[in-house]
Amino acid sequence: SGFGSGGAGLSLRGKMFPGGGRVHCAPFADETLWREIKDKAHFWGTEDFYGVDLTPLREEAVRSYFRQCVVDAFETELLLSQPVSFAWDWTTLRADELESLDMHLEFKVQRAGPVHGVACWFDVLFEGTTKSRWLTTAPGLPTTHWYQMRLVFERPMRCEAGETVKGRMKMTALDNQSYAVTVELKGKGGKAVSGEWDLKDPYYRQTIYPQPGYTKEQLARFYGEPPA
């Protein structure tokens, strides 16, 4: 409840926990995930479902599945570049500053491949009197309750190694205590890709597949016996 209050109500010697945060974004390539989302609409390609032609709804079904942000953990090898980062000081941040977040993106692609989307994760800072600690949800580290989030494009954009990709990610606050997110990326030669997502309607993929970063105990707890 104190988030975005700009430290209101704190004494001069008071502490806010967490007192700051960072969001990290990077493009990724994951053909398996992209095809999985696309194939969700297979049912809507049925021409004779008990006498009903469902195909007029297929295009909208595909669009709706790609509007879901994907919540899961993933291997760092899927990232195509180093992340760009954005930081906020929650002890001074005003609530109205969170109503619209406009983040400018610029990536140097490290290996050729299709940009299937943008991956996001966050860190929060616990700054004590004598020590400070970051809690991170980064890929490649022990998986947390928050996992990571991926925004998958319906139509990926292929990039070459060494190419610079620029764009923006805009988050607009909604009345349902969530955000609408749009991402636009542009590469060389005028190529571009974009998408929009409703963060209130996620695809909780972590409940279906074993997650990178899980301990053997976590694997056994959520999926039965861990793989050999």
Side-chain angles (χ1 to χ4, degrees):
S1 60
F3 181 73
S5 64
L10 288 178
S11 70
L12 293 178
R13 297 183 180 180
K15 294 284 187 182
M16 178 181 286
F17 295 104
R22 302 179 297 203
V23 168
H24 311 276
C25 306
F28 71 89
D30 191 341
E31 184 76 18
T32 299
L33 173 62
W34 183 81
R35 290 192 177 278
E36 176 187 328
I37 296 175
K38 184 179 180 182
D39 289 346
K40 281 186 172 187
H42 178 76
F43 168 76
W44 299 101
T46 305
E47 295 181 352
D48 185 5
F49 183 72
Y50 295 96
V52 179
D53 182 5
L54 301 179
T55 56
L57 299 174
R58 187 180 185 281
E59 184 176 342
E60 180 58 31
V62 171
R63 187 178 300 113
S64 67
Y65 286 126
F66 277 100
R67 277 177 55 86
Q68 291 183 298
C69 59
V70 177
V71 179
D72 70 348
F74 59 86
E75 301 288 358
T76 56
E77 288 78 6
L78 297 178
L79 298 178
L80 293 174
S81 80
Q82 292 295 317
V84 294
S85 303
F86 308 91
W88 293 271
D89 181 352
W90 294 346
T91 64
T92 60
L93 193 68
R94 301 190 315 271
D96 62 284
E97 294 180 271
L98 296 171
E99 293 178 0
S100 180
L101 302 174
D102 198 351
M103 293 169 274
H104 293 271
L105 308 175
E106 182 170 341
F107 308 110
K108 183 73 172 291
V109 177
Q110 296 177 331
R111 60 182 175 86
V115 177
H116 286 115
V118 175
C120 306
W121 61 94
F122 69 86
D123 311 320
V124 287
L125 174 63
F126 294 85
E127 189 171 12
T129 303
T130 60
K131 294 183 178 180
S132 297
R133 292 289 185 269
W134 285 96
L135 184 155
T136 182
T137 63
L141 295 177
T143 300
T144 70
H145 163 83
W146 295 278
Y147 301 89
Q148 291 101 42
M149 182 179 72
R150 288 190 281 176
L151 308 173
V152 186
F153 295 126
E154 183 178 346
R155 296 178 177 85
M157 177 179 71
R158 185 165 186 85
C159 293
E160 302 301 325
E163 184 175 344
T164 297
V165 175
K166 297 182 180 181
R168 65 190 298 197
M169 179 167 70
K170 186 171 183 179
M171 302 177 64
T172 304
L174 303 174
D175 292 336
N176 59 6
Q177 297 183 333
S178 188
Y179 283 92
V181 180
T182 59
V183 175
E184 300 173 353
L185 296 180
K186 295 181 179 180
K188 65 180 182 181
K191 62 188 176 185
V193 64
S194 63
E196 58 182 39
W197 298 265
D198 180 358
L199 300 193
K200 199 67 171 182
D201 182 29
Y203 167 30
Y204 287 117
R205 192 169 184 256
Q206 87 281 8
T207 63
I208 301 175
Y209 300 102
Q211 300 293 290
Y214 268 2
T215 64
K216 289 184 177 180
E217 291 75 16
Q218 287 174 314
L219 286 173
R221 175 184 174 188
F222 295 116
Y223 304 100
E225 290 299 318

